[in-house]
Amino acid sequence: MEKISLYIIYFFFYSAIGWFFESIYCSIPAKKWINRGFLSGPMCPIYGTGSLAMIILLSPIYNNQIYISVFGQDIFFTPVIIAIVGMVLCDIVEFLTSIILEKLFHAHWWDYSGKLLNIQGRICLTHTIIWGIGALLFIFYVHPFVDGFAQQIPINYIYSALAFIAVVFVADLINAVHKAMDVKAVMDKFHRLNAKINKVSTTIHKSFDNRLVYLTESGSKQVSVSVERFNQIRDELTGQVRESFKKLRTENRLLKGYPNLGKVAKKQLQSMEELLQDIKSRFFEDEDDNKD
C-alpha cells in the first residue's frame, strides 16, 4: 500500500514538473505565458504516466549496472540502454495519448507533421531524442533524489497529501473533459457542415448538368436562381460557425494551451468557405454563360 501511494504521488509530482517545463518550452517561442496541458491546474498527466513507466521499467536496468566488452575494454552500457528504452517508452505514451485524445474529442491536440521523421504527426525524431536525454537525467539524477526525499516523509503525511491532491485532480479532470467536449462539439459542427456542403455541391452540379442537357434538347426557358438568396444562406452558415469558434476561443483555455486546435478549426472554416464559394462561382457562372 505504501509503495502504491508513493507511485501515485510520483505521478502527480512529475505531472506538475512536466507541466512546468512544457509550459516554459511553449511560452518562449510564443513570447507569452501559455498554460500548457489538458487540465486547468498545473499538471500534464502524460508526463506523470511516462515517468511511472520509466520508474517501473528502467529502474531495474539502472540497478543492474550493465557492462559490455569492446576490444577487451569493459564499457558501461547502462546509459545507452536506458536512453534507447526511454525513447521507445515515451514515444509509445505520446503516440497512444494522441490517438486516445483524437478518438475521444475528434481533434488533433498536437501536430509534428512539419518536423523531421515524424509518424502521423504524433511523434517525431526531435522529441524522441529529447525523451532519450530526459530519460537519462531522470533515472540517474532526478528520480533518485526525489525518491530519497519521499522515503523520508511520514506515510501519514503522504496519505493526507494524496487525498487532497486526488480530490482536486478529479474536479479539474471533470472540468477539463467538459471544456474538451466543447471543442469536440465545434469540430463536429465543422465536419457536419463540410459534409453537407459537399453533398449539396455534388447535387447542384448533377442537377445543373441535367438541366443543361434538357435546355439544349428542348429550348425551354431556364428558371432563374437567386444569387442574393445563396449569399444570404452562405453568410448565415459561416456566421454561425465563426461565432461558435470566436466564443470557443475566448472562453476555452484549451485553444490557448494547444494552438494546433485553433489551426485545425480555422482550416475547417476556410475549407467550408471555399466550398461555398466554389458552388457559387461554378454554378452561377455556368448559369450566366448559358444565358449568353
Side-chain angles (χ1 to χ4, degrees), residues 190 193-194 197-198 230-231 233-243 245 265-281:
F190 283 152
L193 283 174
N194 275 327
I197 293 169
N198 270 305
F230 179 86
N231 288 337
I233 296 173
R234 181 190 62 186
D235 293 341
E236 287 177 357
L237 284 173
T238 56
Q240 290 174 7
V241 177
R242 282 185 178 278
E243 186 63 29
F245 178 61
K266 287 180 180 178
K267 287 181 180 179
Q268 291 285 345
L269 179 59
Q270 183 180 0
S271 175
M272 187 184 70
E273 291 176 335
E274 288 174 353
L275 280 170
L276 288 168
Q277 183 60 37
D278 180 62
I279 293 173
K280 179 184 177 182
S281 61

Side-chain angles (χ1 to χ4, degrees), residues 33-249:
W33 176 253
I34 295 179
N35 181 9
R36 184 73 166 181
F38 180 73
L39 303 174
S40 298
M43 283 190 187
C44 278
I46 188 174
Y47 288 101
T49 303
S51 297
L52 280 184
M54 288 192 290
I55 291 171
I56 294 171
L57 298 177
L58 297 184
S59 292
I61 299 174
Y62 170 75
N63 294 329
N64 282 336
Q65 301 291 296
I66 301 171
Y67 289 84
I68 63 171
S69 180
V70 179
F71 300 114
Q73 297 290 327
D74 289 336
I75 298 178
F76 187 40
F77 203 66
T78 299
V80 177
I81 297 177
I82 287 177
I84 294 174
V85 177
M87 286 189 290
V88 173
L89 281 175
C90 292
D91 274 348
I92 290 175
V93 171
E94 186 173 32
F95 191 88
L96 291 178
T97 301
S98 173
I99 291 177
I100 292 171
L101 289 175
E102 182 179 333
K103 295 297 182 183
L104 288 176
F105 305 112
H106 299 176
H108 297 277
W109 295 77
W110 58 83
D111 186 9
Y112 303 144
S113 297
K115 295 184 179 294
L116 180 65
L117 296 179
N118 70 86
I119 299 178
Q120 298 179 5
R122 305 180 192 278
I123 58 177
C124 65
L125 178 61
T126 301
H127 282 216
T128 299
I129 294 173
I130 292 174
W131 300 144
I133 297 172
L136 285 173
L137 296 174
F138 180 79
I139 291 297
F140 279 92
Y141 300 103
V142 177
H143 186 62
F145 174 79
V146 173
D147 186 56
F149 179 78
Q151 294 291 344
Q152 299 178 20
I153 301 175
I155 192 62
N156 290 337
Y157 289 178
I158 291 178
Y159 289 154
S160 299
L162 189 58
F164 174 77
I165 296 173
V167 170
V168 175
F169 176 79
V170 171
D172 197 356
L173 181 61
I174 293 173
N175 178 65
V177 171
H178 176 72
K179 294 293 185 183
M181 293 306 293
D182 289 342
V183 175
K184 177 180 180 295
V186 172
M187 294 299 182
D188 285 347
K189 188 173 185 178
F190 283 152
H191 292 314
R192 288 195 302 270
L193 283 174
N194 275 327
K196 287 181 180 179
I197 293 169
N198 270 305
K199 185 177 180 180
V200 169
S201 176
T202 302
T203 302
I204 286 176
H205 285 301
K206 286 183 178 179
S207 175
F208 187 64
D209 290 340
N210 292 334
R211 185 163 58 179
L212 280 178
V213 173
Y214 175 77
L215 288 171
T216 301
E217 293 178 351
S218 66
S220 299
K221 185 178 180 181
Q222 183 176 0
V223 178
S224 63
V225 178
S226 173
V227 179
E228 292 77 12
R229 177 56 181 160
F230 179 86
N231 288 337
Q232 181 182 357
I233 296 173
R234 181 190 62 186
D235 293 341
E236 287 177 357
L237 284 173
T238 56
Q240 290 174 7
V241 177
R242 282 185 178 278
E243 186 63 29
S244 298
F245 178 61
K246 182 180 179 181
K247 181 179 180 181
L248 184 68
R249 186 170 54 183

